[in-house]
Amino acid sequence: MYTDFTFTIKSTAFDENYRPSNNTRITTNFANLARGERRQENLCNTLRMINNRFNALAHWDNPNANRYSVRLEIVSVNMDIEGNGQTFPTIEILKTNIIDHKTNEYIEGIVGNNFSSYVRDYDFSVLLQDHNRDQPKFSIPENFGDLHGKIFKYFVNSETYQQNFKKPPVICLSVSDSKIYYRKENQHPVLGFEYQPNESSLTEQYFKKMGLQVRYFMPPNSVAPLAFYFVGDLLNNYTNLELISTISTMETFQKIYRPEIYNANAIAGQCYQPKLKNQDHSVTQIIYDRSERSLLANEQGKFAEEHFIKPYKAVLEQWSAAFT
């Protein structure tokens, strides 16, 4: 049995001319922005928001707030399961790069940021829903997230990853509206005040199987904390500019997708519970269809089941059992 899975990487610039490829998960946040009549206006406004936020956070030696700009790459990861050149679109992440216009320096940012996965769609939109259908009490299937977590760790430790990226990934997500977050005394100059949730979430447990731990921080002049999933030491393994590239990018996306939380008119206090039905918020001028995204997540979960989970079931089970 062939078990030496291999990965190939393709990078696509996310700029005002970006158009999603046929292999891109169309529920991916940035792909959603690049469709429709206002696609180019959406993209230009999004990139402008990212650059403005970056310069606001990187304010030292930057009196005109225009020293830096962010360049984004969509990194698509395909996995060859049987060694025959046939691949499955496994992971899609985002890489930030920074242009310093004062020194004309090109600075690598952080890889990860946004995270998309067909297998995760399958786990949450197919497996989890089927497991709980017509059940009196919600529960988690046995070994939920194990396969996905092992594939992600296998990729991060692969030669392909090491050749393309210098540091482990950092993934930045929104906070959960079902948790309460308490502000701690710890404050970082870029990440801001740290918050602690009252309990662990299913997302935390899922990402833990990917080898990632989580900390919550509310950056300066933000209104709500962000969840940072990482390996190692988040505060010391990355430079301020690297962290700012992730904050500016992902906070911008969250303002578009979760304006009730991240574009709220009230700032999170000492004790904070996000509310997706919060009416006291502002909306951006960027069009995004959240309802369509939820429907497509189910379709893509079924796509993963049909083209990955079922046809390679025996191979994946044996590989997963032997994975260390």
Side-chain angles (χ1 to χ4, degrees), residues 47-60:
L47 296 169
R48 186 179 301 112
M49 287 174 65
I50 291 171
N51 288 332
N52 288 342
R53 182 60 169 139
F54 188 102
N55 283 288
L57 286 168
H59 51 78
W60 58 93

Side-chain angles (χ1 to χ4, degrees), residues 203-223:
T203 299
E204 283 185 17
Q205 297 164 25
Y206 194 81
F207 276 74
K208 186 176 182 180
K209 292 189 175 184
M210 296 163 60
L212 303 175
Q213 53 185 308
V214 63
R215 293 178 74 171
Y216 299 86
F217 287 91
M218 186 169 75
N221 298 317
S222 297
V223 298

Side-chain angles (χ1 to χ4, degrees), residues 247-265:
I247 294 168
S248 59
T249 299
M250 297 313 298
E251 187 178 85
T252 294
F253 283 138
Q254 297 300 351
K255 283 183 177 180
I256 298 167
Y257 309 133
R258 290 282 185 268
E260 300 89 345
I261 296 175
Y262 291 97
N263 224 23
N265 296 323

